Amino acid sequence: DAGITQSPRYKITETGRQVTLMCHQTWSHSYMFWYRQDLGHGLRLIYYSAAADITDKGEVPDGYVVSRSKTENFPLTLESATRSQTSVYFCASSESRQYQPQHFGDGTRLSIL
Amino acid sequence: GQQVMQIPQYQHVQEGEDFTTYCNSSTTLSNIQWYKQRPGGHPVFLIQLVKSGEVKKQKRLTFQFGEAKKNSSLHITATQTTDVGTYFCAGPKGSGGSNYKLTFGKGTLLTVNP
């Protein structure tokens, strides 16, 4: 979906470094989400946001920080990266009406050495 | 908490064979969504089921929602190599205003031998 973009697509960093993954959507969707996808675990929700300046923890929030100062952007920061955070990260968004599908970005493949 | 279980985890078929994946929830769902993720790609929404006993079709794909709204299935007739990918079901985590959060099953990886 061209309406939601993630950057970078690939990132290699070292343990202890701070890294920020960007997510931008052009649909003005209220809801945005961050997932990580690992073999054997499927998609796990890290953080989500219902609107600008409203964020909340998901299933696996430890080690991550988010912000949402503007509706269209929802960056995810790993404050001090660990090897266990090596994963594929997906950002998604959805409309605020009930029963709406989520639209995913292309993902960021993050490797922490 | 709510769990969404999906079986099988993997399925390998010969092209032309049928395929079915099953999704079971520990709680009653207000709706269920299905997504497909091609290898190296991102999840893409396929369909949503809302009504008890609902059946929807998309060409060779048939989706069903159980009468008790706790289970669902996706059936593909006469698989093609383009069907390769992981199929996820997802149900809302909460009710009312919080149902925009989804719990995803772990997915079924379908591979097709041409």
Side-chain angles (χ1 to χ4, degrees), chain B residues 12-42:
Chain B
H12 178 75
V13 299
Q14 289 292 126
E15 191 171 20
E17 291 182 339
D18 291 356
F19 160 78
T20 304
T21 175
Y22 300 91
C23 184
N24 293 288
S25 170
S26 56
T27 60
T28 301
L29 300 170
S30 57
N31 69 95
I32 194 159
Q33 299 178 4
W34 285 92
Y35 292 77
K36 177 184 178 181
Q37 183 178 20
R38 295 182 186 274
H42 60 273

Side-chain angles (χ1 to χ4, degrees), chain B residues 35-94:
Chain B
Y35 292 77
K36 177 184 178 181
Q37 183 178 20
R38 295 182 186 274
H42 60 273
V44 174
F45 173 76
L46 292 177
I47 207 162
Q48 177 173 257
L49 304 171
V50 178
K51 299 176 183 176
S52 169
E54 188 170 16
V55 178
K56 286 189 176 180
K57 293 191 175 185
Q58 287 181 349
K59 297 183 180 178
R60 294 176 295 102
L61 278 61
T62 301
F63 303 84
Q64 291 188 318
F65 201 10
E67 294 290 341
K69 302 183 78 173
K70 294 182 72 173
N71 62 286
S72 182
S73 65
L74 158 59
H75 179 82
I76 302 178
T77 303
T79 55
Q80 300 175 359
T81 55
T82 52
D83 295 324
V84 164
T86 301
Y87 293 85
F88 294 96
C89 62
K93 273 189 182 292

